[in-house]
Amino acid sequence: MKQFLMCSAAMIAVAAPSAAFAQSTGSADFEDSIIVTGARVSEGIAGVKIPDSPKAKVVLGQEIIQAQRPGQSINEIINLVPGVSFTNNDPWGSSGGNFTIRGFGADRISQTFDGIPLNDSGNYAVYTNQQVDPELIENVNVNLGSTDVDSPTAAAVGGTVNINTLEPSDDYGVLASVSYGNIVANGSGDRPYFRMFGVINTGDITGHGTKAWFSASRAKNVAAYANYGDVYKQQYNAKIWQDIGDNGDFISIAGHYNQNRNNFGGSPFRASAFTGDKSGRFYNISGGYPCTLSTTSTPNACGTDFERRFNPSNTGNVRLNSKFTLAERLTLSIDGAYQYVKANGGGTTSANETSFMSGGQPFTGNYNGSFYFGRDLNGDGVLGRVTVLQPSQTNTRRWVGIANLAYDINDSNRVRLSYSYDRARHRQTGYAGLLKADGSPTDVFSINDPLTDAAGNALTKRDRLSYATLHQIAGEYRGQFFDDALTVLIGGRVPFFTRDLNNYCFTTSTGGFVNCVPSDQIAAYAAANPYSFNDATGRATGSALPQSRKLKYDKFLPNLGATFKVTPEISIAGSYAKNLSVPSTDALYNAFSFPAGSTQAKRVAETSDSFDASLRYTTPKVQAAITGWYSKYKNRLITAYDIDGNGTTTNVGPVKKYGIDGSISYSPVKELTAYLFGSYIKSEIQNDSITGSCVTDSDIQLAGLCYVQNGDAFLRTAGKREREAPKYLFGGRLQGNLGDFTMGVQAKRTSSRFLNDINGEIQTATTSTGVTKLIFPGAKFAGYTIVDLDLRYSLASLGMEKGAIQFNVSNLFDKFYVGSFSGGLDTLASSSSSFVNFGSPRAISASLIVGF
């Protein structure tokens, strides 16, 4: 089977070692002589590579990627990297999920695609169900520390995930696969999965290094748990490559388009209701299905279930990568991209056909979270309420450019200068749309045909236009000393972030709540709801006018590192990086309730100092590394999202994080490989956090998690660990090759995690009046262990040299556990926003792979 993997890789691509382990083309080229010295490192063991770079990195190659289920999200595959924790919302990788690295959430991790950032430009989220097909990935590099100096990232303080796609091959070839799967667990019923994938490689069509590949895939599956909801996914990719000369220069243009149509799903339970009992995980939606939408002015529950909410997305990008040798010692690399996103999430609401009354005047619009249309929407002649679609819509158009100029002073000393540019136009709306008679949307993108009031105004629940702009300059020096035993990197970057914010709605609270008024009624509404701010109390009343603000953030961020080869097999490495995380747009818009320039309106950036120290051992049969790390934060920003994706950000002040990552790959004979990895993560919030109140006999007060001092209320966060961050992770993979058969088994243990940052747990308590009751100041979700199995049979002996049959079983023992979940600083387990997603159940799939 290993021979099959090598043949497939050769057929599709010829890997470029200099582009293997870093983010941009310039960073890859600059690190080239460090990370690919010696075939042992570049080849890796069992598909796992540990580059001998100053920063702690792990690279997963095609051997381990192709052993996983075809179509799987790359974020699920990197669960085999120390420090990474990923929870998948279905077994197939099509419904999204949540991941952390060293306890940092995805909004603190930069995920790149051929060097181009994929994080949302507003809230920095990563959408794992929209990633490139794994068959097209040459390798994925997980940087467990900071990012490269030229990376255009606004929040990468927790690491990077760099996805590198295949270089087209010099030879013509075709590869195709078809997969069928199903969930096989007690009570699951029939929940099929079907996927097709194909890629055509043109080979060198001119004889001068002009080559390309084109691919397409389609996947469909039924909802993992509910009796409602399907997931449809289609994706198209292409890459055109032109070699320039014979020294590695090239130009590459690539395109990617992904379309998802999926419902929300995961669980019918709040965090307080999760008991670990498997019997309730496969269920019928509460509103019933099928159903008929009410045609009167009194709405019913049809179409309102959580599982009926759609989360559609159309995403695409065009990418440029290039490298040019300008002179014998001077190299220029230019990377660029244009990205497009059209996506939404959210459900339905009961809209009012009446007008909203304020100051004795009627208004249309969205007030206190409800629509008021002032007209008969369903034509029944009565002004009442009607169920309508109301998703939160986002449209992003983004331009990225990275240029690096590198100069070799001599064979041992090299410098580079870089400039990075990133500008994103981020449009956020929330228009209402109609539902069909069965409760499903007439159009999942209600922005295509929004509902209007009698005057023709399209009504929306939010209306924001943001421009996120970065200009960054950076420099780096690489020196090699003592016969190349010592390698030193000294660099730094200076990012200049600008946030142009335009809120066209009235802001009504510090939580960012808004009232959206049509433009022809703004003056009247402002007069009826005058805004005022009390400097003495720091409190605002009334509705703050629609307004624009421009905020700037910049800081010098040094980046230092070194490696030293003690012996040819043993090396030590260390690195230091200062990081900056700019507040998300949600956090910045929430401050619009305060006057511009006031102390209350200020939102400071998060900064951190991060240190790594590694010991590595590399031989042809063994690759091992152990890394100790430490990060100290100021103004740690913690963001929580509700069921509709609306964010709330809290500054918990200083936080200390430290831990150990380790891994070892061992291949005693070519037929057997073993890989073990593990992490210990310590997270410690340093101070108690101020809060609105500490009410006697409230759940948090009864649990002793809040107190009042000098008239101010505080949450007991000092000494607590950040929510979602597991204390430890460990696992491994064992793979055997026997003739045409290859079999692998892998396991991952994830420790318990907290719902909130006060580390509350469901418990009993006695009130001030002597009553004993169950309280829900939070939840602690139990740890879990997942085991996966894969089996491949090569068809080479049957005359199909590049053919194979592959079987995958995920969650072999059908472990039932909480996967992803909502939460925040002090979220109660009984809160309406503390929902949980079940982890993926046991599933099996079979794939037929053919190629020539």
Side-chain angles (χ1 to χ4, degrees):
M1 198 64 236
K2 182 177 286 186
Q3 286 80 4
F4 163 73
L5 291 168
M6 294 176 65
C7 288
S8 296
M11 180 196 73
I12 300 176
V14 177
S18 63
F21 302 141
Q23 295 182 57
S24 69
T25 304
S27 289
D29 179 63
F30 195 75
E31 292 187 5
D32 180 37
S33 63
I34 302 174
I35 60 178
V36 298
T37 300
R40 296 189 301 267
V41 174
S42 62
E43 292 174 0
I45 296 174
V48 182
K49 311 171 188 180
I50 304 174
D52 198 17
S53 66
K55 300 170 184 176
K57 299 183 180 184
V58 177
V59 178
L60 300 183
Q62 283 193 337
E63 181 176 354
I64 201 166
I65 293 173
Q66 293 185 5
Q68 313 304 308
R69 174 171 287 132
Q72 187 58 267
S73 169
I74 191 63
N75 296 87
E76 167 72 10
I77 298 173
I78 64 171
N79 225 356
L80 295 170
V81 172
V84 176
S85 177
F86 180 75
T87 57
N88 221 350
N89 290 342
D90 68 20
W92 324 112
S94 297
S95 299
N98 184 61
F99 78 108
T100 63
I101 296 180
R102 290 179 173 176
F104 296 97
D107 59 346
R108 291 296 178 270
I109 299 162
S110 173
Q111 187 146 320
T112 66
F113 184 13
D114 288 338
I116 304 304
L118 294 176
N119 299 68
D120 185 276
S121 61
N123 62 17
Y124 313 132
V126 175
Y127 302 103
T128 62
N129 61 333
Q130 300 169 13
Q131 305 304 305
V132 66
D133 286 324
E135 292 93 340
L136 304 175
I137 298 175
E138 175 65 31
N139 58 58
V140 56
N141 163 29
V142 182
N143 185 339
L144 299 174
S146 60
T147 184
D148 292 330
V149 297
D150 65 343
S151 180
T153 175
V157 296
T160 58
V161 176
N162 309 312
I163 302 167
N164 300 298
T165 57
L166 295 161
E167 176 185 330
S169 170
D170 291 331
D171 301 316
Y172 174 80
V174 174
L175 184 72
S177 70
V178 59
S179 301
Y180 173 81
N182 216 316
I183 293 174
V184 284
N186 290 336
S188 64
D190 186 29
R191 299 175 183 272
Y193 164 77
F194 182 76
R195 178 177 184 266
M196 296 183 295
F197 169 84
V199 59
I200 298 174
N201 202 314
T202 67
D204 189 345
I205 58 178
T206 64
H208 299 285
T210 307
K211 48 196 178 181
W213 53 251
F214 303 90
S215 76
S217 69
R218 290 202 172 194
K220 177 183 178 181
N221 64 273
V222 175
Y225 291 108
N227 69 325
Y228 181 90
D230 292 324
V231 179
Y232 299 91
K233 181 177 180 179
Q234 56 181 309
Q235 187 175 127
Y236 306 92
N237 290 277
K239 179 181 274 191
I240 301 172
W241 183 286
Q242 177 63 61
D243 288 323
I244 301 174
D246 56 4
N247 57 1
D249 290 359
F250 70 94
I251 297 177
S252 170
I253 298 176
H256 167 83
Y257 177 76
N258 185 91
Q259 181 175 294
N260 272 68
R261 296 294 182 267
N262 58 283
N263 297 89
F264 285 10
S267 154
F269 294 144
R270 303 295 181 199
S272 58
F274 185 83
T275 63
D277 180 7
K278 285 185 179 182
S279 62
R281 60 176 170 165
F282 300 107
Y283 62 95
N284 296 331
I285 58 176
S286 59
Y289 175 74
C291 65
T292 301
L293 191 69
S294 171
T295 57
T296 71
S297 292
T298 302
N300 59 9
C302 183
T304 63
D305 300 280
F306 171 74
E307 294 82 2
R308 284 178 172 267
R309 298 172 178 227
F310 276 82
N311 187 205
S313 63
N314 298 342
T315 59
N317 63 60
V318 178
R319 311 181 306 281
L320 166 72
N321 300 100
S322 63
K323 176 189 170 187
F324 307 95
T325 301
L326 304 181
E328 182 179 356
R329 295 182 176 273
L330 188 63
T331 303
L332 172 68
S333 67
I334 299 175
D335 296 343
Y338 170 76
Q339 300 179 57
Y340 175 84
V341 174
K342 180 180 181 180
N344 71 43
T348 59
T349 187
S350 180
N352 298 280
E353 295 177 310
T354 57
S355 297
F356 177 76
M357 301 303 296
S358 180
Q361 300 181 65
F363 294 91
T364 60
N366 191 283
Y367 302 90
N368 304 319
S370 296
F371 281 104
Y372 292 82
F373 284 91
R375 72 178 180 92
D376 187 359
L377 293 174
N378 59 5
D380 66 351
V382 179
L383 296 183
R385 292 181 296 117
V386 177
T387 302
V388 298
L389 185 70
Q390 62 147 14
S392 297
Q393 178 78 34
T394 297
N395 177 244
T396 302
R397 300 175 185 182
R398 188 174 188 176
W399 296 263
V400 177
I402 306 172
N404 279 271
L405 188 65
Y407 178 69
D408 293 325
I409 301 171
N410 52 45
D411 292 341
S412 300
N413 295 275
R414 196 178 197 196
V415 295
R416 68 162 165 162
L417 294 175
S418 72
Y419 168 74
S420 301
Y421 172 79
D422 186 358
R423 180 173 174 82
R425 181 188 185 274
H426 198 68
R427 187 76 170 96
Q428 297 173 291
T429 54
Y431 293 107
L434 290 174
L435 299 177
K436 298 177 183 177
D438 64 357
S440 62
T442 56
D443 188 333
V444 293
F445 288 111
S446 55
I447 192 174
N448 293 343
D449 187 19
L451 287 174
T452 63
D453 63 9
N457 297 305
L459 304 187
T460 182
K461 67 178 182 179
R462 66 174 186 175
D463 195 358
R464 309 194 305 205
L465 174 62
S466 311
Y467 290 92
T469 306
L470 166 68
H471 295 277
Q472 177 176 275
I473 56 174
E476 194 168 24
Y477 161 79
R478 188 197 72 201
Q480 294 174 282
F481 308 93
F482 309 116
D483 295 327
D484 296 338
L486 174 65
T487 300
V488 175
L489 286 177
I490 302 174
R493 60 189 178 107
V494 185
F496 298 91
F497 294 102
T498 302
R499 296 292 182 262
D500 290 286
L501 309 172
N502 303 275
N503 192 349
Y504 302 117
C505 296
F506 288 81
T507 305
T508 60
S509 78
T510 57
F513 294 102
V514 296
N515 287 343
C516 296
V517 186
S519 58
D520 59 354
Q521 303 169 50
I522 286 179
Y525 179 80
N529 297 269
Y531 172 81
S532 65
F533 177 75
N534 189 317
D535 289 315
T537 63
R539 296 183 181 276
T541 58
S543 298
L545 285 166
Q547 58 189 285
S548 300
R549 294 183 184 179
K550 188 172 184 178
L551 304 172
K552 296 182 178 181
Y553 298 88
D554 58 78
K555 195 174 186 66
F556 172 66
L557 305 173
N559 202 313
L560 313 173
T563 60
F564 180 72
K565 285 191 171 295
V566 181
T567 69
E569 297 79 21
I570 299 173
S571 66
I572 56 176
S575 66
Y576 162 76
K578 193 170 190 68
N579 303 294
L580 176 72
S581 178
V582 176
S584 69
T585 53
D586 285 328
L588 297 175
Y589 278 117
N590 288 352
F592 274 37
S593 61
F594 299 112
S598 66
T599 302
Q600 292 81 0
K602 186 178 182 181
R603 294 292 183 266
V604 297
E606 173 185 310
T607 60
S608 69
D609 294 280
S610 300
F611 303 84
D612 277 358
S614 300
L615 175 65
R616 301 171 185 143
Y617 177 76
T618 303
T619 71
K621 292 187 175 182
V622 179
Q623 280 195 19
I626 185 168
T627 300
W629 58 273
Y630 173 83
S631 295
K632 184 177 181 179
Y633 284 81
K634 293 181 180 178
N635 301 306
R636 182 72 169 103
L637 304 175
I638 297 177
T639 302
Y641 297 93
D642 65 17
I643 204 167
D644 291 322
N646 302 307
T648 301
T649 302
T650 304
N651 187 331
V652 299
V655 175
K656 291 182 180 179
K657 297 168 74 81
Y658 56 89
I660 297 175
D661 299 318
S663 67
I664 181 170
S665 301
Y666 178 51
S667 181
V669 294
K670 66 179 182 179
E671 293 82 10
L672 181 66
T673 56
Y675 168 59
L676 296 174
F677 63 92
S679 297
Y680 168 78
I681 302 167
K682 176 66 174 179
S683 168
E684 185 178 316
I685 301 172
Q686 298 299 291
N687 298 336
D688 288 340
S689 301
I690 196 164
T691 188
S693 63
C694 181
V695 178
T696 300
D697 288 343
S698 64
D699 285 8
I700 291 177
Q701 187 272 332
L702 288 173
L705 295 174
C706 71
Y707 63 94
V708 177
Q709 181 175 300
N710 298 325
D712 294 322
F714 293 87
L715 295 169
R716 296 189 186 277
T717 50
K720 304 299 176 64
R721 65 186 299 108
E722 297 163 289
R723 66 182 182 89
E724 291 189 307
K727 187 175 183 179
Y728 61 84
L729 305 157
F730 64 85
R733 176 177 171 84
L734 185 66
Q735 179 174 305
N737 306 293
L738 184 61
D740 291 332
F741 285 95
T742 297
M743 180 176 180
V745 60
Q746 58 196 40
K748 176 73 173 289
R749 174 69 179 175
T750 302
S751 72
S752 60
R753 298 154 295 157
F754 285 103
L755 173 70
N756 58 34
D757 299 292
I758 55 176
N759 298 176
E761 299 185 50
I762 299 172
Q763 58 190 277
T764 58
T766 303
T767 68
S768 59
T769 59
V771 177
T772 300
K773 67 174 186 177
L774 193 64
I775 61 173
F776 305 89
K780 185 178 183 181
F781 302 113
Y784 58 93
T785 302
I786 301 299
V787 179
D788 299 332
L789 184 70
D790 57 87
L791 176 68
R792 281 175 173 258
Y793 175 67
S794 172
L795 301 178
S797 60
L798 301 178
M800 295 179 62
E801 183 65 29
K802 297 169 184 176
I805 297 173
Q806 177 174 319
F807 294 94
N808 291 88
V809 183
S810 54
N811 196 359
L812 178 64
F813 299 108
D814 197 25
K815 178 66 178 177
F816 185 47
Y817 63 99
V818 170
S820 58
F821 51 87
S822 69
L825 178 65
D826 57 352
T827 303
L828 302 179
S830 56
S831 168
S832 60
S833 62
S834 66
F835 60 92
V836 302
N837 288 319
F838 295 156
S840 297
R842 179 171 54 215
I844 188 169
S845 64
S847 304
L848 174 64
I849 305 167
V850 296
F852 60 89

